[in-house]
Amino acid sequence: IPNYNKAPYIKETLDSILKQSYQSWEAIIVDDGSTDESVKIINNYLASDTRFKFYKRDTAQKGGSVCRNIGLKKASGNFIIFLDSDDILQIDCLKNRIYKINNNGSIDFAIFSGGTFYKKIGDSKSTWIPPSGKDYLKLFLVHSLPWHTSSVLWKKEFLNLLNGFNESYHRLQDVELHTRALIKENAKFLVFGGEPDFYYRIDEN
């Protein structure tokens, strides 16, 4: 979870992780030089639950992708989900994702549906429900994006083969990463439909 001045929202994100029905997780938060109260809020979680880990960006270059790559290097688990610091996970998100990736053969990443919201879940009808049977690479190349950054459950070893995010991109870093994943030789993935298991906040500010 990269964080930059998300004090109004990050508590809701971290609470949604705490409430997960699947409890064998670690939440790695990497701060990008915040100047608000968000780090103080994060410290409260660190003090109460050792599954929360916190790092400050230790490079000159700023940005979400830099922070995500730091988190990837620090991760001790076998699977990775990238969240924004204002996203919300549904209660069974991790349980269902782990179950599906473990029970569908040897795959490198799996795609799940996501929703959006403004102030509370249900106030936006926009969703990322990946269409089945489509040429996903073509969809990314024409910028008809079939899924979001948080839609993907990655095997960490596959992300390491991709060398994570390309930090030279100032925008569309997730599109670039997903494109490289799709053209990676012998990459195996599955797309799951169904109801959204996470929600992306549309921040009007």
Side-chain angles (χ1 to χ4, degrees):
I1 307 171
N3 173 68
Y4 180 70
N5 287 348
K6 290 291 187 178
Y9 308 127
I10 193 165
K11 184 178 187 302
E12 198 170 1
T13 297
L14 301 184
D15 283 346
S16 79
I17 298 172
L18 273 175
K19 293 174 183 175
Q20 288 299 296
S21 56
Y22 180 89
Q23 288 285 296
S24 184
W25 50 260
E26 64 176 352
I28 300 171
I29 307 152
V30 182
D31 189 69
D32 201 23
S34 294
T35 57
D36 67 355
E37 293 290 304
S38 57
V39 172
K40 182 178 179 180
I41 294 169
I42 293 165
N43 282 333
N44 290 333
Y45 286 84
L46 299 176
S48 62
D49 196 315
T50 58
R51 291 173 297 178
F52 289 104
K53 316 289 184 177
F54 180 69
Y55 302 93
K56 293 188 176 182
R57 173 180 48 79
D58 55 2
T59 64
Q61 185 174 343
K62 289 177 60 66
S65 292
V66 175
C67 292
R68 293 185 199 278
N69 283 343
I70 292 170
L72 175 59
K73 291 184 178 75
K74 301 291 187 181
S76 62
N78 296 320
F79 302 104
I80 304 286
I81 296 176
F82 293 112
L83 299 179
D84 290 333
S85 48
D86 53 5
D87 289 343
I88 295 177
L89 299 182
Q90 291 287 69
I91 191 169
D92 290 326
C93 175
L94 298 183
K95 182 178 81 171
N96 290 339
R97 289 193 183 194
I98 293 295
Y99 175 83
K100 287 182 176 177
I101 203 169
N102 279 335
N103 287 276
N104 282 279
S106 178
I107 56 178
D108 300 303
F109 59 102
I111 315 300
F112 299 86
S113 298
T116 63
F117 72 107
Y118 291 92
K119 302 296 184 185
K120 61 180 181 179
I121 292 174
D123 64 8
S124 170
K125 296 188 182 303
S126 177
T127 58
W128 277 283
I129 299 179
S132 60
K134 296 292 185 178
D135 185 338
Y136 300 112
L137 178 59
K138 181 177 180 180
L139 290 177
F140 273 108
L141 292 176
V142 300
H143 204 69
S144 178
L145 308 181
W147 59 73
H148 177 266
T149 311
S150 301
S151 302
V152 189
L153 176 66
W154 301 92
K155 280 191 176 174
K156 185 174 70 175
E157 61 185 1
F158 181 71
L159 267 177
N160 285 332
L161 287 175
L162 295 176
N163 294 314
F165 286 86
N166 186 329
E167 296 175 7
S168 69
Y169 276 62
H170 297 293
R171 58 188 300 270
L172 303 178
Q173 302 97 327
D174 56 328
V175 176
E176 192 274 339
L177 174 65
H178 296 152
T179 300
R180 280 192 287 120
L182 290 168
I183 63 176
K184 182 72 172 176
E185 187 176 6
N186 299 320
K188 297 177 183 177
F189 69 97
L190 287 174
V191 174
F192 297 95
E195 293 296 312
D197 68 2
F198 78 96
Y199 287 86
Y200 169 84
R201 186 188 299 271
I202 303 170
D203 186 354
E204 295 173 307
N205 296 319

PDB file of all heavy atoms in Angstrom, residues 32-47:
ATOM      1  N   ASP A  32       5.225   7.803   1.094  1.00  0.00           N
ATOM      2  CA  ASP A  32       5.893   8.528   0.015  1.00  0.00           C
ATOM      3  C   ASP A  32       6.192   9.977   0.397  1.00  0.00           C
ATOM      4  O   ASP A  32       6.154  10.864  -0.444  1.00  0.00           O
ATOM      5  CB  ASP A  32       5.014   8.472  -1.242  1.00  0.00           C
ATOM      6  CG  ASP A  32       5.794   8.726  -2.521  1.00  0.00           C
ATOM      7  OD1 ASP A  32       7.020   8.532  -2.532  1.00  0.00           O
ATOM      8  OD2 ASP A  32       5.168   9.130  -3.533  1.00  0.00           O
ATOM      9  N   GLY A  33       6.454  10.202   1.698  1.00  0.00           N
ATOM     10  CA  GLY A  33       6.792  11.549   2.144  1.00  0.00           C
ATOM     11  C   GLY A  33       5.594  12.352   2.607  1.00  0.00           C
ATOM     12  O   GLY A  33       5.520  13.564   2.358  1.00  0.00           O
ATOM     13  N   SER A  34       4.659  11.699   3.280  1.00  0.00           N
ATOM     14  CA  SER A  34       3.435  12.377   3.720  1.00  0.00           C
ATOM     15  C   SER A  34       3.741  13.502   4.705  1.00  0.00           C
ATOM     16  O   SER A  34       4.670  13.422   5.505  1.00  0.00           O
ATOM     17  CB  SER A  34       2.493  11.368   4.379  1.00  0.00           C
ATOM     18  OG  SER A  34       2.031  10.420   3.442  1.00  0.00           O
ATOM     19  N   THR A  35       2.891  14.525   4.643  1.00  0.00           N
ATOM     20  CA  THR A  35       3.016  15.663   5.563  1.00  0.00           C
ATOM     21  C   THR A  35       1.751  15.845   6.400  1.00  0.00           C
ATOM     22  O   THR A  35       1.649  16.807   7.153  1.00  0.00           O
ATOM     23  CB  THR A  35       3.296  16.958   4.779  1.00  0.00           C
ATOM     24  OG1 THR A  35       2.251  17.163   3.813  1.00  0.00           O
ATOM     25  CG2 THR A  35       4.631  16.872   4.055  1.00  0.00           C
ATOM     26  N   ASP A  36       0.790  14.933   6.274  1.00  0.00           N
ATOM     27  CA  ASP A  36      -0.447  15.028   7.043  1.00  0.00           C
ATOM     28  C   ASP A  36      -0.403  14.070   8.235  1.00  0.00           C
ATOM     29  O   ASP A  36       0.672  13.628   8.645  1.00  0.00           O
ATOM     30  CB  ASP A  36      -1.666  14.773   6.143  1.00  0.00           C
ATOM     31  CG  ASP A  36      -1.741  13.337   5.641  1.00  0.00           C
ATOM     32  OD1 ASP A  36      -0.797  12.546   5.899  1.00  0.00           O
ATOM     33  OD2 ASP A  36      -2.741  12.986   4.986  1.00  0.00           O
ATOM     34  N   GLU A  37      -1.548  13.710   8.763  1.00  0.00           N
ATOM     35  CA  GLU A  37      -1.624  12.858   9.948  1.00  0.00           C
ATOM     36  C   GLU A  37      -1.645  11.363   9.618  1.00  0.00           C
ATOM     37  O   GLU A  37      -1.808  10.542  10.530  1.00  0.00           O
ATOM     38  CB  GLU A  37      -2.890  13.209  10.739  1.00  0.00           C
ATOM     39  CG  GLU A  37      -2.888  14.600  11.358  1.00  0.00           C
ATOM     40  CD  GLU A  37      -1.886  14.700  12.504  1.00  0.00           C
ATOM     41  OE1 GLU A  37      -1.981  13.901  13.441  1.00  0.00           O
ATOM     42  OE2 GLU A  37      -1.009  15.582  12.424  1.00  0.00           O
ATOM     43  N   SER A  38      -1.484  11.007   8.347  1.00  0.00           N
ATOM     44  CA  SER A  38      -1.650   9.601   7.960  1.00  0.00           C
ATOM     45  C   SER A  38      -0.625   8.691   8.624  1.00  0.00           C
ATOM     46  O   SER A  38      -0.951   7.564   9.021  1.00  0.00           O
ATOM     47  CB  SER A  38      -1.612   9.442   6.434  1.00  0.00           C
ATOM     48  OG  SER A  38      -0.423   9.956   5.889  1.00  0.00           O
ATOM     49  N   VAL A  39       0.617   9.134   8.774  1.00  0.00           N
ATOM     50  CA  VAL A  39       1.632   8.285   9.401  1.00  0.00           C
ATOM     51  C   VAL A  39       1.288   8.031  10.864  1.00  0.00           C
ATOM     52  O   VAL A  39       1.478   6.925  11.376  1.00  0.00           O
ATOM     53  CB  VAL A  39       3.032   8.913   9.262  1.00  0.00           C
ATOM     54  CG1 VAL A  39       4.060   8.129  10.075  1.00  0.00           C
ATOM     55  CG2 VAL A  39       3.446   8.950   7.786  1.00  0.00           C
ATOM     56  N   LYS A  40       0.759   9.035  11.554  1.00  0.00           N
ATOM     57  CA  LYS A  40       0.318   8.853  12.934  1.00  0.00           C
ATOM     58  C   LYS A  40      -0.788   7.798  13.013  1.00  0.00           C
ATOM     59  O   LYS A  40      -0.791   6.942  13.910  1.00  0.00           O
ATOM     60  CB  LYS A  40      -0.178  10.181  13.502  1.00  0.00           C
ATOM     61  CG  LYS A  40      -0.620  10.111  14.947  1.00  0.00           C
ATOM     62  CD  LYS A  40      -1.051  11.487  15.454  1.00  0.00           C
ATOM     63  CE  LYS A  40      -1.527  11.418  16.898  1.00  0.00           C
ATOM     64  NZ  LYS A  40      -1.959  12.761  17.392  1.00  0.00           N
ATOM     65  N   ILE A  41      -1.717   7.829  12.073  1.00  0.00           N
ATOM     66  CA  ILE A  41      -2.794   6.833  12.030  1.00  0.00           C
ATOM     67  C   ILE A  41      -2.212   5.446  11.794  1.00  0.00           C
ATOM     68  O   ILE A  41      -2.583   4.469  12.465  1.00  0.00           O
ATOM     69  CB  ILE A  41      -3.810   7.207  10.926  1.00  0.00           C
ATOM     70  CG1 ILE A  41      -4.514   8.509  11.279  1.00  0.00           C
ATOM     71  CG2 ILE A  41      -4.825   6.077  10.715  1.00  0.00           C
ATOM     72  CD1 ILE A  41      -5.330   9.103  10.146  1.00  0.00           C
ATOM     73  N   ILE A  42      -1.283   5.342  10.862  1.00  0.00           N
ATOM     74  CA  ILE A  42      -0.649   4.056  10.562  1.00  0.00           C
ATOM     75  C   ILE A  42       0.065   3.507  11.793  1.00  0.00           C
ATOM     76  O   ILE A  42       0.002   2.314  12.083  1.00  0.00           O
ATOM     77  CB  ILE A  42       0.322   4.212   9.375  1.00  0.00           C
ATOM     78  CG1 ILE A  42      -0.449   4.515   8.089  1.00  0.00           C
ATOM     79  CG2 ILE A  42       1.184   2.958   9.198  1.00  0.00           C
ATOM     80  CD1 ILE A  42       0.414   5.046   6.958  1.00  0.00           C
ATOM     81  N   ASN A  43       0.750   4.387  12.521  1.00  0.00           N
ATOM     82  CA  ASN A  43       1.483   3.945  13.716  1.00  0.00           C
ATOM     83  C   ASN A  43       0.564   3.301  14.752  1.00  0.00           C
ATOM     84  O   ASN A  43       0.981   2.395  15.485  1.00  0.00           O
ATOM     85  CB  ASN A  43       2.242   5.122  14.331  1.00  0.00           C
ATOM     86  CG  ASN A  43       3.519   5.443  13.573  1.00  0.00           C
ATOM     87  OD1 ASN A  43       4.109   4.565  12.940  1.00  0.00           O
ATOM     88  ND2 ASN A  43       3.937   6.696  13.616  1.00  0.00           N
ATOM     89  N   ASN A  44      -0.677   3.751  14.831  1.00  0.00           N
ATOM     90  CA  ASN A  44      -1.632   3.133  15.754  1.00  0.00           C
ATOM     91  C   ASN A  44      -1.885   1.677  15.392  1.00  0.00           C
ATOM     92  O   ASN A  44      -2.042   0.825  16.278  1.00  0.00           O
ATOM     93  CB  ASN A  44      -2.944   3.912  15.743  1.00  0.00           C
ATOM     94  CG  ASN A  44      -2.815   5.282  16.384  1.00  0.00           C
ATOM     95  OD1 ASN A  44      -1.965   5.489  17.251  1.00  0.00           O
ATOM     96  ND2 ASN A  44      -3.656   6.207  15.964  1.00  0.00           N
ATOM     97  N   TYR A  45      -1.921   1.376  14.092  1.00  0.00           N
ATOM     98  CA  TYR A  45      -2.126  -0.001  13.643  1.00  0.00           C
ATOM     99  C   TYR A  45      -0.875  -0.843  13.886  1.00  0.00           C
ATOM    100  O   TYR A  45      -0.968  -2.011  14.270  1.00  0.00           O
ATOM    101  CB  TYR A  45      -2.518  -0.020  12.158  1.00  0.00           C
ATOM    102  CG  TYR A  45      -3.930   0.423  11.922  1.00  0.00           C
ATOM    103  CD1 TYR A  45      -4.247   1.764  11.826  1.00  0.00           C
ATOM    104  CD2 TYR A  45      -4.966  -0.503  11.812  1.00  0.00           C
ATOM    105  CE1 TYR A  45      -5.553   2.187  11.624  1.00  0.00           C
ATOM    106  CE2 TYR A  45      -6.275  -0.095  11.608  1.00  0.00           C
ATOM    107  CZ  TYR A  45      -6.565   1.253  11.512  1.00  0.00           C
ATOM    108  OH  TYR A  45      -7.860   1.650  11.327  1.00  0.00           O
ATOM    109  N   LEU A  46       0.283  -0.249  13.682  1.00  0.00           N
ATOM    110  CA  LEU A  46       1.534  -0.967  13.924  1.00  0.00           C
ATOM    111  C   LEU A  46       1.643  -1.387  15.381  1.00  0.00           C
ATOM    112  O   LEU A  46       2.138  -2.480  15.690  1.00  0.00           O
ATOM    113  CB  LEU A  46       2.735  -0.086  13.569  1.00  0.00           C
ATOM    114  CG  LEU A  46       2.861   0.402  12.121  1.00  0.00           C
ATOM    115  CD1 LEU A  46       4.060   1.333  12.009  1.00  0.00           C
ATOM    116  CD2 LEU A  46       2.989  -0.756  11.154  1.00  0.00           C
ATOM    117  N   ALA A  47       1.168  -0.535  16.263  1.00  0.00           N
ATOM    118  CA  ALA A  47       1.279  -0.810  17.696  1.00  0.00           C
ATOM    119  C   ALA A  47       0.338  -1.919  18.142  1.00  0.00           C
ATOM    120  O   ALA A  47       0.597  -2.584  19.158  1.00  0.00           O
ATOM    121  CB  ALA A  47       0.995   0.461  18.489  1.00  0.00           C
TER     122      ALA A  47
END
